[in-house]
Amino acid sequence: MDVDDQALVEALKESAAAQRESAAAMRDLAESNRAMIDLLAEQMADEVGGDEEPERYLDGTPVER
């Protein structure tokens, strides 16, 4: 291998390592976001009551019972 080939191989190794680090950081962020969503959903369910039937549909029309 000549010097250019070695430099290319080294650059590709560094790029692959950076991509692995980036993927790990994205996984950590996704896990953190999932935990935050679960926490917020739990808190909202406690505030709303969770088991009660809704009085209106999402478009604002009343639910007929």
Side-chain angles (χ1 to χ4, degrees), residues 3-65:
V3 174
D4 289 338
D5 289 343
Q6 290 175 345
L8 179 59
V9 168
E10 188 60 33
L12 289 172
K13 286 180 182 179
E14 290 175 12
S15 177
Q19 288 175 351
R20 283 190 294 275
E21 290 176 18
S22 178
M26 285 187 272
R27 275 192 303 275
D28 291 345
L29 180 59
E31 289 174 10
S32 173
N33 287 348
R34 176 85 270 164
M36 179 63 72
I37 289 169
D38 290 345
L39 176 65
L40 291 172
E42 183 179 316
Q43 287 177 348
M44 288 180 72
D46 290 344
E47 289 174 11
V48 173
D51 296 333
E52 300 168 4
E53 291 289 323
E55 295 180 17
R56 296 190 173 277
Y57 292 106
L58 292 177
D59 67 0
T61 59
V63 173
E64 296 180 20
R65 297 184 188 170

